[in-house]
Amino acid sequence: MIAEPTAPSVPHGAGLGPRYVLIPVHGYGIAVATVARMLDVEGNGVARVLAPNEAIPYGAQPVLLAETTVYGAVCVERLLQAWGSAVHRPPKPWLVLVSDAPARPAAPARYRFRALHERVVGVARIPYLPSLRTVEDAEAALEHKDVQIAAAKLRRQLEGK
């Protein structure tokens, strides 16, 4: 009997590819750029945004990004329906919900996200960050205390700590 080859034990960021690949479900904007930098604070390639129709790299944890709108919930629902029917099914994704307003999501969005909970590894929530409305790029966003706090919490959630 031939043993299966094993991958070398090398930390992510050491040339193996990203640890997290981000999949924006309804477009790229400052929230997506900021979440990518929240997960890759040192800029060493631990997290990156996938291009449309790009395959998920082996060993990377997919992370769906959506705003907490009804439209965002519908986009996540459609993506997860296609996810389950893939021939080579990728690992279950994380779902990161970025609040689009300083209020709770609308009831239809909350119900849809709750119904999708079992189809993802977990759901991480990023609160409304007013500073994202005032910055030119993700680097500038990370200078704000509210973004730094949200980033630390997000990393802890995704790493299971």
Side-chain angles (χ1 to χ4, degrees):
M1 178 183 238
I2 299 174
E4 289 290 320
T6 58
S9 178
V10 179
H12 282 279
L16 284 180
R19 180 175 185 178
Y20 301 108
V21 287
L22 285 63
I23 304 167
V25 298
H26 53 78
Y28 186 87
I30 188 64
V32 172
T34 301
V35 170
R37 289 295 289 136
M38 287 174 155
L39 293 174
D40 190 9
V41 177
E42 295 176 13
N44 60 6
V46 172
R48 72 176 179 85
V49 179
L50 281 185
N53 299 319
E54 181 181 354
I56 297 170
Y58 179 74
Q61 174 63 57
V63 178
L64 306 180
L65 295 172
E67 291 182 353
T68 56
T69 61
V70 174
Y71 179 72
V74 169
C75 290
V76 170
E77 183 176 41
R78 288 181 184 152
L79 182 65
L80 287 174
Q81 286 171 348
W83 198 279
S85 65
V87 174
H88 299 288
R89 185 181 296 178
K92 269 186 173 183
W94 266 91
L95 175 59
V96 174
L97 299 175
V98 181
S99 295
D100 66 314
R104 286 176 23 146
R110 289 195 315 269
Y111 299 145
R112 274 202 157 114
F113 286 130
R114 193 175 310 136
L116 297 171
H117 210 275
E118 290 183 10
R119 302 193 63 190
V120 296
V121 173
V123 178
R125 300 178 191 282
I126 296 178
Y128 175 68
L129 299 169
S131 58
L132 293 186
R133 297 175 55 86
T134 65
V135 296
E136 292 184 17
D137 56 29
E139 300 299 324
L142 284 177
E143 295 174 7
H144 292 265
K145 189 73 171 169
D146 60 341
V147 176
Q148 293 170 9
I149 291 168
K153 183 178 177 184
L154 176 63
R155 287 190 302 275
R156 280 193 311 271
Q157 281 186 283
L158 268 59
E159 292 169 4
K161 296 179 183 176

